[in-house]
Amino acid sequence: MEYHHRKSVFAQPFLLFTLLISNNGSAVDTNISEIYRDNSAEYIEAFKPSTKHTIDRLIKENMLDNNIPGLAVAIVTNPENPTIWSKGYGVKSLESNERVTRNTPFWLASISKVVMGTVIAKAQEEGYLYLDMNIHNLLVGGNFQIDNPGSSPITIRDLVTHSSGIKDSTAYQCSYYIDHGDGTHTKLINLIDPGFCPDSSPITLDGFLGAYLDSEGEFYDSGSNFTGLPPGQGYEYSNIAAALAGYSVELSTGLTLTDYAEQKIFTPLGMRNTSWNFSKLKQSSLASPHTTVDNTLSSIPYYELATWPDGGLRSSAFDMAKFLAAVMNEGTFASRKSNIKILEAGSVVQMLTSIQNGFGIFWYSDWLWNYGGKDHILIGHNGAEIGYFSYLVFNPQDNVGVVLLANTDLGDKKESIELLIADILELAKNR
């Protein structure tokens, strides 16, 4: 079974808008070898020099072949006593030529969901919520209700396994916007289709969810926003449903998903370059999004997402490697100074084990890859947005994981990138 990553809601017509808002970025210089020098790279001594050289070569060749301006990778092995190798390649932006490092934050797109899944598992562990909790009950007395056809109750379990009956309609495009920093914003889709989204439509999480799911909302359409199937029956990958799952953390804990994640996961693990809150990260440190128009790779402005839990997390390869190492080690990051537990082992098992449709708590556990001459089941997620793509996967049999983040569209690069990741996993296994 092939896992279907987060799909761009704008597809090809959206590329036209980059002509209007790009900052005249130039194409990647064919003499790109100069860009790859990174003296801050921290190779792990556990890797043979030949392995390190091969991984370096494969990444650089892939970036050249796929016209990727910037990429960061991290490899996790031996999670019970973790060895992490992480390095940046290329540039954060074609305009500045500042180099990517292991600490450069990228937009994670849908691998945000596995972080959110881990936060939900933590909230369940602490007694704030449980998977069979009725989301309608959490919303009682709040800013909106869910008017799903048939009014069948939707549970958190339905949301995290993409079986809630909620689906992403064209109105989901109104979730994307550019924040001008002065209290105003522009909806991305309006740049190519003026008036598609009302300028006054909400950009807050609860505001957008209410506009989409409540029959009184401006985006409500029972036929377009819902599959018509009862919750728990039928698979429909939905970013709106995922955002609602993130909102359930706020409803049950009294803290935003952002604050709860920082308290329980990011701060304990020392993930200093990770946040759902754009303002908490230095803009100059971020990897800029890039897309290709008329065979020219150009940078585009940073944009935001009203339904931010489903894809708006920003993080670095090194931060995500620490997070992945903890998950791979049954919830504990075994640092040199002390063991840092973010989840109990039983919570990790439930989170990673397929509940329905191959999903545990947002973690996809039936991802079949072929490398090294045989099939492997990987656990993780990937993501793709305008200007970014990302992968976070691990092989539980070999205890090897990879994080790969890039600042351009995935597009037709998917097969090539996944072959690269397969090669890295095989090399890392043999070290």
Side-chain angles (χ1 to χ4, degrees):
M1 178 178 179
E2 180 183 0
Y3 171 61
H4 297 287
H5 61 79
R6 174 190 180 92
K7 297 178 180 178
S8 167
V9 295
F10 297 106
Q12 293 303 314
F14 179 70
L15 298 182
L16 297 176
F17 108 90
T18 62
L19 293 173
L20 301 174
I21 61 176
S22 66
N23 295 314
N24 299 316
S26 58
V28 169
D29 188 341
T30 55
N31 185 22
I32 201 168
S33 60
E34 292 294 322
I35 295 176
Y36 295 116
R37 295 177 186 154
D38 184 359
N39 295 327
S40 68
E42 295 191 7
Y43 289 114
I44 53 176
E45 295 304 320
F47 275 70
K48 295 179 290 188
S50 59
T51 299
K52 296 184 289 188
H53 175 76
T54 301
I55 292 173
D56 247 0
R57 175 179 57 80
L58 290 173
I59 290 173
K60 293 173 184 179
E61 289 176 352
N62 192 285
M63 291 180 70
L64 281 171
D65 291 343
N66 288 306
N67 208 23
I68 298 172
L71 182 149
V73 67
I75 303 170
V76 178
T77 62
N78 193 31
E80 66 275 7
N81 185 21
T83 301
I84 297 173
W85 171 75
S86 186
K87 184 179 179 181
Y89 299 82
V91 295
K92 293 186 286 188
S93 171
L94 290 173
E95 295 169 0
S96 68
N97 281 333
E98 292 182 22
R99 294 174 183 174
V100 171
T101 74
R102 67 177 190 168
N103 294 315
T104 300
F106 287 72
W107 177 292
L108 297 189
S110 276
I111 66 173
S112 304
K113 292 183 176 69
V114 296
V115 180
M116 174 169 55
T118 307
V119 175
I120 289 172
K122 184 67 176 180
Q124 178 175 242
E125 187 176 278
E126 294 191 332
Y128 289 111
L129 52 75
Y130 54 95
L131 292 186
D132 290 320
M133 180 177 283
N134 185 334
I135 192 70
H136 300 264
N137 292 340
L138 280 178
L139 292 168
V140 170
N143 297 327
F144 67 92
Q145 62 183 9
I146 305 172
D147 292 315
N148 54 316
S151 298
S152 299
I154 296 172
T155 66
I156 295 175
R157 182 186 302 272
D158 299 326
L159 298 174
V160 302
T161 58
H162 298 287
S163 57
S164 66
I166 299 170
K167 66 178 182 178
D168 297 347
S169 70
T170 56
Y172 178 65
Q173 298 178 23
C174 298
S175 181
Y176 294 79
Y177 66 96
I178 297 173
D179 188 342
H180 300 303
D182 59 0
T184 65
H185 65 271
T186 299
K187 296 295 177 69
L188 291 189
I189 192 64
N190 286 350
L191 295 172
I192 59 169
D193 189 0
F196 183 92
C197 299
D199 291 333
S200 60
S201 60
I203 58 172
T204 62
L205 176 59
D206 62 340
F208 194 91
L209 290 174
Y212 193 93
L213 298 169
D214 193 310
S215 59
E216 299 297 320
E218 57 191 304
F219 298 136
Y220 184 81
D221 185 317
S222 61
S224 298
N225 297 0
F226 298 88
T227 65
L229 294 173
Q233 298 183 24
Y235 167 76
E236 180 71 29
Y237 187 89
S238 173
N239 295 297
I240 293 288
L244 181 60
Y247 186 51
S248 74
V249 174
E250 177 175 338
L251 296 174
S252 57
T253 67
L255 297 172
T256 65
L257 175 66
T258 298
D259 290 341
Y260 191 73
E262 288 183 355
Q263 286 185 19
K264 303 298 181 178
I265 297 175
F266 303 158
T267 298
L269 290 177
M271 297 171 67
R272 298 179 180 87
N273 297 292
T274 303
S275 184
W276 265 289
N277 189 334
F278 180 71
S279 65
K280 289 192 175 183
L281 299 171
K282 288 184 179 179
Q283 185 168 322
S284 61
S285 72
L286 303 175
S288 298
H290 297 77
T291 195
T292 301
V293 180
D294 294 335
N295 297 317
T296 299
L297 189 66
S298 301
S299 63
I300 60 176
Y302 297 112
Y303 56 88
E304 295 295 311
L305 188 60
T307 60
W308 51 267
D310 70 80
L313 184 64
R314 290 177 171 89
S315 185
S316 68
F318 186 60
D319 275 8
M320 292 306 294
K322 290 188 285 186
F323 166 77
L324 180 58
V327 171
M328 291 170 63
N329 191 40
E330 299 182 324
T332 298
F333 182 73
S335 71
R336 294 176 183 176
K337 296 180 179 179
S338 64
N339 289 340
I340 303 167
K341 180 179 286 189
I342 60 170
L343 275 180
E344 297 293 338
S347 297
V348 175
V349 170
Q350 182 188 38
M351 179 178 76
L352 300 182
T353 302
S354 175
I355 300 171
Q356 192 170 351
N357 309 316
F359 287 94
I361 303 179
F362 283 125
W363 288 79
Y364 191 73
S365 59
D366 289 343
W367 206 345
L368 183 65
W369 287 46
N370 181 281
Y371 62 90
K374 63 178 182 179
D375 289 336
H376 300 260
I377 295 293
L378 302 187
I379 299 175
H381 215 291
N382 69 340
E385 275 294 0
I386 296 297
Y388 298 98
F389 67 84
S390 58
Y391 282 82
L392 181 147
V393 295
F394 74 95
N395 184 329
Q397 182 175 351
D398 296 334
N399 267 340
V400 177
V402 171
V403 177
L404 188 147
L405 313 175
N407 60 347
T408 190
D409 307 321
L410 182 61
D412 59 4
K413 306 175 185 66
K414 184 174 185 289
E415 181 177 359
S416 174
I417 293 298
E418 294 188 357
L419 286 172
L420 171 64
I421 292 172
D423 286 339
I424 292 173
L425 287 167
E426 186 69 13
L427 287 162
K429 179 186 72 173
N430 296 321
R431 294 203 261 178

